[in-house]
Structure formats: C-alpha cells, structure tokens
Amino acid sequence: MTQSAAWAGILDWSNDLLAARSLAALQAALARGPTLAGEALAGSLILVDARHELRLLLAGETGGLVETPGLRFVDGLASFAPALTALHAPWSGPYHAADHGLIFADDLALTDVVLLPLPSGLALHGVYAIGARGRPPGFADLGAEWLRHVGAQALASAERLFQRARLLRAGVVDPLTGWNSRHYFLARLREQVAACARRKEPACCVVIDLDGLGALNESHGVAAGDAALLEAGSRIEAQVRGSDAFAHLGADEFGLVLPATDADRAVPLVDRILAALRAAPAFVGTTTFPLRVSIGIAELAPADLAASIERKAIADQWLAEAQAGLHRAKREGGDGYALSSAAAASARGK
C-alpha cells in the first residue's frame, strides 16, 4: 500500500468517526479501523471504566449492549493486560496470543498488531488496538505522528459521544443515587397513558416510601439515611422486570411504572419487594436499620380513558391515586401496601 493510499484510509476513517451520531455508530467505525478495500483489520478501543459509568451510558443508549467489537471496557489496564501499562508510544509487531489474546475478544486469526496508547490528561484513557490478517496494517509504516493521530482521533470521538450521552442523561438521572429521576418518571407515566390508549391494555403506577427514614436521619445523620436509601433502592430495583420503569422520586420515595399489568398482577411483584426488604436490615455505620416500606398501587384501565385524552392531566391523576394508596398504607401502620380506591374497585370487579 502506498503512503498516499494509507493517508487516504486514515482520513476516510476519521470522517466516519466524525460523522458518528451515536455510540453504536462509533463502535462500528472503531471495529473497522483505518482500512482500505482489501485489508482485513479488527479495531478495539479499550477504555478504563473503573466506576462503570461508561458502560451505563452505553447500555442506556443501546438497550443494554456494552461489550461489542470496537469498544471494550476494563476496570484497569494493570489487571486486564499488565504489559499495556508500560506502553508509552505506538507499537507494532507480530500478533502473539499469549500477549494479545485478551485484547481482541474473539479468535480472529490475526497475524499483526498495532497498539496505540491514548493521549493522557483527558477524562478517558486506555489503548486503541488494531489487528490485521495476513500483513501489517498499511498505515503502520507512516510514522509515529500518524499513529498518534489515529489514537487521538479514536479518543476524541469517544469523548464527544460519551459527553453527549451524559448531557442527554443528565435531566433524567437522580444525582444522589444514579437512578432515574422524578423528571424521567413523569415522562414515562405520560408515555404509558398513550400506550394504554393505543394498545387497550392496563398499567400500574406504584409508589414506595421508606418507613422511618426521617428518624434515622435525626438520630444518625443524613449520611446514614442516604446509605439506607441506597440499600432499599438496590433491593427494590433487583425485583423490577426489564419492561418496568424504576425511579427515585425524591427524599425517601421511589416509583414504578408497570406496563401491561393490572392491579392483580402488580400485587405479587409488590409482595416480592416487601419480602426482599424484610429479609435483612441495612447496615448503617455501627448500627442496623430495618428496611420497611409503605406502598401504594394505582391501576390505569383503558376503559377509563376518553377518546381524546390529555396525557399530562391523566398521568398526574394516576400518580396522585398511587400516592393516596401509599398514604393509606402509612395510616394502617406501614410495612405493607394498599390499592387506590379505583384499583381496589377494579380488583373486586374481576
């Protein structure tokens, strides 16, 4: 391959990265690498993601898919491939399974490898690895500056799209817990109102309040209360189905939207949540805190929706009914659930 052809390959690839409007599109370009027709390359951008933030951002955009060709995450380079920590300049050479097998997830029959350390000092860091079959990549002979350009281009494109994902997620994520926010929950309620009308199927709104959190905050401090809240939320989320929406509504309150679910089918899920919380107390500093909750359940039935509906008004009323059930559960002593009046009437009529 001539130098001009190799340059053209890098520029075409750079344009593909710049044109990527999603992390999935970025993955595809990274997996292809700066190749020309006739070359068989396999690229893998390996990013350090010790707090799993990048994986969560990618999962949120792609519906759960995080490990794909082109983009991989590790908790640290030292634990993943110790030799990479000593990589301070571009390196190219023959492929050795013992040294490079973990870098490329699949058996790709590679013969040559280029390893490019990513520029330091930015939020993301790691290595961009490119494997070739049959001969070294054509761009590998262009010199260190071009190789650094390839690594910098891969990193800059990833930085841009991950920052975009952060901005899109910022309005719908609760900063304390990292769970979906009240803003997200209200939007999902409105979406579900429309879905109920369109699909002619019921749905349930569930509101969950952690009993006794105020007293814990007063006796042991806000940090203890936050720890108990996080433990309770984690146990609740573990019981939630993939199709459901879960959010932290604020203070000591959580919310669930259960699509295609009437009150009768919501109750077994609520029972599982109660059992998971009662199973063991939360350890808060030097003390323990029993996890008990009050829960309100409100059903939205298609028959209750008019042909012309105002989604926000109906969603607000639906949430208010769930909260009314929650208050009734509180009045009855907590550590249990109560159906809203409409949900209870629906259950009796079945």
Side-chain angles (χ1 to χ4, degrees):
M1 181 186 293
T2 65
Q3 282 196 338
S4 60
W7 290 331
I10 291 177
L11 293 175
D12 286 345
W13 172 78
S14 296
N15 288 334
D16 287 344
L17 292 181
L18 291 171
R21 293 292 180 265
S22 68
L23 289 168
L26 175 69
Q27 286 175 296
L30 291 170
R32 177 173 66 82
T35 181
L36 289 179
E39 266 197 319
L41 302 186
S44 181
L45 179 62
I46 300 164
L47 296 176
V48 175
D49 184 30
R51 299 180 62 187
H52 289 219
E53 180 215 5
L54 303 179
R55 277 168 270 211
L56 287 172
L57 288 171
L58 182 57
E61 184 179 289
T62 61
L65 190 63
V66 293
E67 287 292 343
T68 66
L71 188 57
R72 298 180 62 195
F73 304 98
V74 297
D75 293 341
L77 289 179
S79 58
F80 172 68
L84 294 181
T85 61
L87 186 68
H88 302 298
W91 178 91
S92 61
Y95 173 87
H96 295 293
D99 297 325
H100 309 124
L102 286 177
I103 296 174
F104 299 95
D106 301 313
D107 181 7
L108 301 172
L110 300 177
T111 59
D112 297 86
V113 175
V114 176
L115 300 178
L116 306 174
L118 302 183
S120 59
L122 298 178
L124 302 184
H125 66 285
V127 172
Y128 185 40
I130 303 168
R133 304 176 191 82
R135 63 184 184 187
F139 73 89
D141 294 329
L142 291 180
E145 288 306 312
W146 274 98
L147 295 181
R148 290 191 184 95
H149 169 79
V150 171
Q153 186 68 66
L155 180 63
S157 298
E159 286 269 15
R160 173 176 61 85
L161 289 173
F162 275 115
Q163 185 59 25
R164 175 181 176 274
R166 287 188 187 97
L167 292 172
L168 290 174
R169 198 166 185 259
V172 296
V173 175
D174 170 60
L176 169 65
T177 62
W179 291 312
N180 294 317
S181 67
R182 184 182 186 88
H183 175 76
Y184 165 88
F185 187 75
L186 295 176
R188 283 299 304 268
L189 282 177
R190 292 192 291 270
E191 291 170 4
Q192 193 57 52
V193 169
C196 286
R198 185 172 63 253
R199 300 172 186 162
K200 307 301 180 186
E201 61 186 18
C204 276
C205 174
V206 178
V207 181
I208 305 169
D209 186 272
L210 187 56
D211 296 336
L213 189 63
L216 178 66
N217 285 332
E218 291 177 7
S219 61
H220 290 81
V222 174
D226 287 348
L229 185 75
L230 288 166
E231 177 64 23
S234 296
R235 294 194 202 178
I236 294 168
E237 188 179 29
Q239 303 303 317
V240 174
R241 304 168 302 186
S243 59
D244 302 333
F246 171 72
H248 178 219
L249 303 185
D252 49 3
E253 197 168 87
F254 299 93
L256 297 173
V257 179
L258 312 179
T261 305
D262 60 18
D264 285 342
R265 293 179 60 196
V267 168
L269 172 61
V270 167
D271 283 334
R272 291 198 301 273
I273 290 171
L274 289 168
L277 292 167
R278 293 166 181 162
F283 290 92
V284 181
T286 59
T287 188
T288 59
F289 178 70
L291 295 176
R292 301 291 182 263
V293 295
S294 300
I295 301 176
I297 305 171
E299 179 182 331
L300 183 67
D304 298 334
L305 300 175
S308 177
I309 59 174
E310 210 292 294
R311 286 188 291 175
K312 183 180 184 305
I314 292 176
D316 290 346
Q317 179 60 31
W318 189 18
L319 177 58
E321 289 177 2
Q323 289 173 322
L326 167 65
H327 295 318
R328 196 163 98 235
K330 287 276 189 189
R331 291 195 301 270
E332 293 172 354
D335 191 25
Y337 69 87
L339 301 174
S340 69
S341 299
S346 175
R348 285 195 300 270
K350 293 174 183 174

